[in-house]
Amino acid sequence: MLPRFKYQINHYLSLQPGHIAVDDVRKLLEARYGIAQEVFNSDRFIAQEDEREIPKERLEIYARVLNVSLEQLTLASEPELVYYIAPKQNR
């Protein structure tokens, strides 16, 4: 299955502590870094097949705010989980 979005912003937003809401991150980006909330929302939902790219400077700010590396935000997908399935026992 292909990843839905080009950047892993939403994934790392979901991993933030419970007391940090998406709205808090949007407000911080606008107040401290001058990134409009509409721009951040647009960046979060860039589709994998979309040709648009987030400028490196802005992506570095997102990485800093989310406390992840630039590489983590640009990974095409999260590592695939492999589950062990026990063979069925014949009786």
Side-chain angles (χ1 to χ4, degrees):
M1 184 165 111
L2 289 176
R4 188 170 169 192
F5 301 117
K6 187 178 281 190
Y7 300 97
Q8 298 298 310
I9 297 169
N10 291 316
H11 172 69
Y12 289 106
L13 276 171
S14 72
L15 297 178
Q16 296 302 301
H19 66 278
I20 298 176
V22 175
D23 198 41
D24 297 330
V25 174
R26 283 193 292 249
K27 288 177 183 176
L28 172 73
L29 289 168
E30 189 165 50
R32 185 173 291 170
Y33 300 101
I35 299 173
Q37 294 184 28
E38 297 80 18
V39 171
F40 178 62
N41 286 334
S42 175
D43 288 346
R44 289 175 52 202
F45 298 107
I46 296 175
Q48 183 65 34
E49 63 278 355
D50 197 321
E51 293 182 10
R52 292 181 299 151
E53 299 285 341
I54 299 174
K56 185 177 180 189
E57 298 79 23
R58 198 159 66 224
L59 202 56
E60 288 172 342
I61 292 169
Y62 296 160
R64 188 176 320 124
V65 168
L66 296 172
N67 199 30
V68 297
S69 70
L70 195 59
E71 291 76 28
Q72 287 173 296
L73 285 183
T74 57
L75 284 176
S77 65
E78 289 302 298
E80 191 172 318
L81 296 177
V82 178
Y83 294 96
Y84 172 77
I85 299 174
K88 290 185 179 180
Q89 296 179 359
N90 293 330
R91 290 186 179 205

